[in-house]
Amino acid sequence: MKTNAGDERATIRDVAKAANVSLSTASRVVNRDETVRAELRQRVLKAVDSLSYEPDAAAQSLRRQSTKMVGCLVSNIAYPPFSATVGAAEERLYAASYTMLLMASHGRVEREIDILARLRRRRLDSLIATVSSEHDLRVQEELVRLKIPIVLLERQLPLPFDTVCNDHFGGAYEATRYLLTLGHRRIGLITTSAAILPGRERRRAFAQAHAESGLEIDPGLVAGPGHTRDNAYRTACEFLNADDRPSAILAGAHQMVGVLRAARAARLRIPDDLSLICFGETDLTELMTPPLTVVRWDSGRVGQVAAEILLSRLDGTARPSPLSIMLPCDLVLRASCAPLTRETAS
Amino acid sequence: MKTNAGDERATIRDVAKAANVSLSTASRVVNRDETVRAELRQRVLKAVDSLSYEPDAAAQSLRRQSTKMVGCLVSNIAYPPFSATVGAAEERLYAASYTMLLMASHGRVEREIDILARLRRRRLDSLIATVSSEHDLRVQEELVRLKIPIVLLERQLPLPFDTVCNDHFGGAYEATRYLLTLGHRRIGLITTSAAILPGRERRRAFAQAHAESGLEIDPGLVAGPGHTRDNAYRTACEFLNADDRPSAILAGAHQMVGVLRAARAARLRIPDDLSLICFGETDLTELMTPPLTVVRWDSGRVGQVAAEILLSRLDGTARPSPLSIMLPCDLVLRASCAPLTRETAS
DNA sequence: ATGAAAGCGCTAACAG
DNA sequence: CTGTTAGCGCTTTCAT
């Protein structure tokens, strides 16, 4: 029974009229209020069906003061770790009847502020965000002004928001120590900006591992933001063409693409001439020759956990104090690192 | 002047009151109606600023009967070609003040129907969709019921929707011919389901190229849906362990990961023992050893074009008849294909 | 040029 | 248990 006479959408009023009940009774039935007599309920349900009635989310939002929408702010949707995280979060939120709004800042603060203003007008119930800098006060101000539960991904701010991060410090520390143990003394680090947690923690771990071995770091061998592949490629070329080139490089998955190109251009064999460790697992790291030693974590898990926290805030289950979840990173040894012998040192 | 006395959001009423003008005048100013006296305009603007007034999108949607939201339905957000497309579309739509809602069907028709019903309630202005099957009539029905402009991505339906696709037929045809020219006679094809355009067109091209050379196809060497990597891996293993194993395989980027694993497990060298062509460019195809010959297209471009079409529909610029855009695919020769000699034939 | 009033579609007091 | 009524915040006639 799906004959929809007019082309117009049926409203709850139409349903009430067709079922010969009041507006509120119709509303009650639609909203599963139990206190409606079975007979009336049937009449309403029939009307709903025959009119193909569907509640208007905009009207509901206005009235209920809740949009059942969650914003998701990332720097770039197409960056695989992000898309895996976003995908997992969407999955969980969808199951809880939330709709996800997706916006990309492309790493630009101006854009980010604009996005947050827009999201404010949309009256989101909640937000998942990976801000492009932890130091920008305007962004922080905008986040606070939203006045909704916020979960930060891979970021830390001096604000009472929930956060879920991976243990990039631990991962980078293990990776650096491993290279040091293999005898490497000049190691390059190419990763994201120090203005965001992964970049900051990797630098800190890199420094600490060196310090614990009583070794100095050449600041010239630590590079970032290098957010783009091209930047990473150029940086890697500089590193590899120098007289005292590093014998090993640690790089983010995104940057590693540039590093591999540079290594190929410089005709360096891996791991014989250059040892490599990648932050993040991708198809490439696993299937290339040789397979790359990686610091691995579960991007999807980040999104799942974030969604879970959000939902617990939304239904009031969560304890008031902000949660700060840290997920593990593991060093997975493969074939891209070799011990440093006299020969390979330049 | 950002002192917001109460914690409540200011409404247009508050603004009108503070500026000592009527509701409608305040609204006019906010909506850039030119017919307001400069003095009043200033007063209103000042009030807007001091109250940090921001229009409520839900209320606007309700009143204007337009949500300024565009839905985006894909099977999986984290699948790189999709995320590149979605990212590019979001970019363009954002610039035109639209917000993107993202939902993933995970290839399940039931889920897809549920999503479409939900989107209907959200009263989207428009939709970008990559449905999981071109044959499901319920999905088609739901799409029609939306009664909004729809752009289909990489899909074709017997309905008056705009579509933007890549020339998978052309790409697969060239690729197959290339392998045939190299002397290959038993070629495997592992790609997506024939129920969607890319899978269908690749099969068709594969068949036509063979037919034009007067060659028969072994249907056992054409596999799909194999949407997951594990499926592709299993299929490839079967192919490669058979006595009359194919000397070459064509596979989608997603499936290729499984194929490479299988080739490695079977200790087959590429291209000496097995020639490979991949549908779609990824980091892996370019940087692995040997670099893979690929059928390449621009995923981002698909999203851009789709967004452009959508916007032209939304502002009434587009001509009424549905557009059907086909973007090119190119065969990029690299090092993963070798001529077939007696020795390599099994 | 400005204001008063109606109403988008819905939910939730409040009466009965 | 059911109906009447009052808005949610906004835009838009329609008068003035």
Side-chain angles (χ1 to χ4, degrees):
Chain A
M1 235 211 253
K2 290 240 177 90
T3 41
N4 190 341
D7 204 30
E8 302 300 314
R9 281 183 210 289
T11 71
I12 188 97
R13 259 197 165 76
D14 301 328
V15 172
K17 210 165 292 173
N20 202 27
V21 297
S22 78
L23 208 55
S24 35
T25 299
S27 175
R28 283 186 189 106
V29 172
V30 170
N31 291 297
R32 309 210 154 53
D33 184 329
E34 297 300 322
T35 71
V36 175
R37 189 157 34 111
E39 188 206 326
L40 293 194
R41 170 186 312 279
Q42 288 317 314
R43 290 223 305 268
V44 172
L45 257 17
K46 222 178 81 185
V48 164
D49 194 48
S50 75
L51 295 172
S52 302
Y53 168 72
E54 302 199 294
D56 181 319
Q60 288 180 318
S61 297
L62 183 58
R63 181 63 231 225
R64 298 208 240 240
Q65 299 290 60
S66 151
T67 55
K68 282 279 184 182
M69 298 196 297
V70 173
C72 185
L73 167 63
V74 295
S75 84
N76 184 172
I77 299 163
Y79 180 46
F82 281 158
S83 58
T85 301
V86 171
E90 194 273 334
E91 175 70 12
R92 185 68 192 85
L93 292 172
Y94 185 89
S97 306
Y98 284 87
T99 297
M100 179 182 273
L101 303 192
L102 188 57
M103 320 202 123
S105 68
H106 299 277
R108 275 175 261 130
V109 170
E110 288 309 320
R111 174 67 164 268
E112 213 157 82
I113 290 172
D114 187 60
I115 288 175
L116 290 171
R118 243 193 237 194
L119 292 180
R120 198 142 12 93
R121 286 200 277 279
R122 289 274 177 206
R123 305 287 192 261
L124 302 182
D125 287 353
S126 164
L127 176 71
I128 291 177
T130 301
V131 296
S132 61
S133 164
E134 296 175 344
H135 303 325
D136 194 282
L137 293 174
R138 284 152 64 222
V139 169
Q140 293 187 26
E141 193 186 310
E142 293 291 321
L143 288 172
V144 170
R145 286 184 64 196
L146 275 171
K147 293 187 182 123
I148 54 176
I150 294 179
V151 179
L152 254 26
L153 263 34
E154 302 276 35
R155 300 292 183 271
Q156 234 148 26
L157 293 178
L159 293 169
F161 299 142
D162 298 308
T163 61
V164 16
C165 306
N166 290 297
D167 182 15
H168 296 289
F169 179 89
Y173 179 78
E174 268 196 77
T176 309
R177 282 213 41 92
Y178 174 63
L179 289 174
L180 256 18
T181 306
L182 288 176
H184 293 275
R185 287 302 172 262
R186 286 188 61 73
I187 307 175
L189 175 66
I190 306 182
T191 183
T192 47
S193 154
I196 56 182
L197 180 131
R200 182 158 39 75
E201 291 296 279
R202 285 170 191 160
R203 281 169 173 78
R204 198 162 66 81
F206 187 71
Q208 181 169 321
H210 278 79
E212 286 176 4
S213 299
L215 296 166
E216 294 274 308
I217 290 175
D218 176 352
L221 286 183
V222 176
H227 210 70
T228 69
R229 290 161 182 211
D230 290 349
N231 279 345
Y233 173 72
R234 274 191 293 274
T235 302
C237 284
E238 282 168 32
F239 281 9
L240 298 178
N241 293 326
D243 285 340
D244 54 352
R245 67 169 178 81
S247 60
I249 291 180
L250 292 159
H254 208 58
Q255 288 82 14
M256 186 54 84
V257 173
V259 173
L260 289 169
R261 288 207 181 106
R264 177 181 290 184
R267 301 187 179 285
L268 294 174
R269 287 161 310 157
I270 294 158
D272 314 85
D273 304 321
L274 180 67
S275 289
L276 252 27
I277 298 185
C278 185
F279 295 118
E281 174 91 299
T282 66
D283 288 337
L284 179 62
T285 57
E286 199 189 335
L287 285 166
M288 66 168 281
T289 312
L292 253 41
T293 288
V294 299
V295 172
R296 185 167 62 183
W297 63 88
D298 186 340
S299 298
R301 186 90 191 108
V302 176
Q304 272 172 28
V305 171
E308 219 62 65
I309 295 179
L310 223 47
L311 292 172
S312 74
R313 287 265 170 247
L314 254 11
D315 67 14
T317 321
R319 277 184 283 125
S321 60
L323 254 45
S324 188
I325 308 290
M326 168 116 67
L327 269 16
C329 283
D330 298 309
L331 181 65
V332 180
L333 300 182
R334 296 211 268 249
S336 62
C337 298
L340 187 72
T341 65
R342 249 153 294 119
E343 221 180 347
T344 55
S346 50
Chain B
M1 234 213 253
K2 288 241 176 93
T3 41
N4 191 341
D7 204 29
E8 303 301 313
R9 282 182 209 289
T11 72
I12 189 98
R13 259 196 165 76
D14 300 328
V15 172
K17 212 165 292 174
N20 203 26
V21 298
S22 76
L23 209 56
S24 33
T25 299
S27 174
R28 283 187 188 105
V29 172
V30 170
N31 291 297
R32 309 208 155 54
D33 185 327
E34 297 301 322
T35 71
V36 176
R37 192 158 32 112
E39 189 206 326
L40 293 194
R41 172 186 309 280
Q42 288 317 313
R43 290 223 305 267
V44 172
L45 257 18
K46 224 179 77 185
V48 164
D49 195 46
S50 75
L51 296 172
S52 301
Y53 169 71
E54 301 198 293
D56 180 317
Q60 287 180 318
S61 298
L62 183 58
R63 181 62 232 226
R64 298 210 241 242
Q65 299 289 58
S66 151
T67 55
K68 282 278 183 185
M69 299 195 296
V70 173
C72 185
L73 167 63
V74 296
S75 85
N76 184 172
I77 299 162
Y79 181 45
F82 281 157
S83 57
T85 302
V86 171
E90 195 273 335
E91 176 70 12
R92 184 68 193 86
L93 293 172
Y94 185 89
S97 305
Y98 283 87
T99 298
M100 179 183 272
L101 304 192
L102 188 57
M103 321 201 121
S105 69
H106 299 276
R108 274 175 262 129
V109 171
E110 288 310 320
R111 173 68 163 268
E112 213 157 82
I113 289 171
D114 186 60
I115 288 175
L116 291 171
R118 246 195 234 193
L119 291 180
R120 198 144 11 95
R121 286 199 277 280
R122 288 274 177 207
R123 305 288 192 259
L124 301 181
D125 286 354
S126 166
L127 176 70
I128 292 178
T130 300
V131 296
S132 61
S133 164
E134 296 176 342
H135 302 325
D136 193 282
L137 293 173
R138 283 152 66 223
V139 168
Q140 293 188 25
E141 193 185 311
E142 293 292 320
L143 287 172
V144 171
R145 286 183 64 197
L146 275 171
K147 291 185 183 129
I148 54 176
I150 294 179
V151 179
L152 255 24
L153 262 35
E154 302 277 35
R155 299 293 184 271
Q156 234 148 26
L157 293 178
L159 294 168
F161 299 141
D162 298 308
T163 60
V164 15
C165 307
N166 289 297
D167 182 15
H168 296 289
F169 179 89
Y173 178 78
E174 267 195 79
T176 309
R177 281 213 43 91
Y178 174 63
L179 289 174
L180 256 17
T181 306
L182 288 177
H184 293 275
R185 287 301 172 264
R186 286 187 61 73
I187 306 176
L189 175 66
I190 306 182
T191 183
T192 47
S193 153
I196 56 182
L197 180 132
R200 182 160 38 77
E201 291 297 278
R202 285 171 191 160
R203 280 169 174 76
R204 198 163 66 81
F206 187 72
Q208 183 170 322
H210 277 79
E212 286 177 5
S213 298
L215 296 166
E216 294 276 308
I217 291 175
D218 177 352
L221 287 183
V222 176
H227 210 68
T228 69
R229 289 161 183 211
D230 290 350
N231 280 347
Y233 173 73
R234 273 192 292 274
T235 302
C237 284
E238 283 168 32
F239 282 10
L240 298 178
N241 293 326
D243 286 339
D244 53 351
R245 67 169 178 80
S247 60
I249 292 181
L250 292 159
H254 207 59
Q255 288 81 13
M256 186 54 83
V257 173
V259 173
L260 289 170
R261 288 207 180 105
R264 176 182 290 184
R267 303 189 177 283
L268 295 174
R269 288 162 308 159
I270 295 159
D272 314 84
D273 304 321
L274 180 67
S275 289
L276 253 25
I277 297 185
C278 184
F279 296 116
E281 173 92 298
T282 65
D283 289 337
L284 179 63
T285 57
E286 198 188 336
L287 285 167
M288 65 168 280
T289 312
L292 253 42
T293 288
V294 298
V295 173
R296 185 167 63 185
W297 63 88
D298 186 341
S299 299
R301 185 92 192 108
V302 176
Q304 272 172 28
V305 172
E308 218 62 65
I309 294 178
L310 223 47
L311 292 172
S312 74
R313 287 266 170 246
L314 254 12
D315 69 13
T317 319
R319 275 182 286 126
S321 60
L323 254 43
S324 188
I325 309 290
M326 167 115 67
L327 268 16
C329 284
D330 298 309
L331 181 64
V332 180
L333 300 182
R334 294 211 269 250
S336 61
C337 298
L340 187 72
T341 64
R342 248 153 296 118
E343 220 180 348
T344 55
S346 49

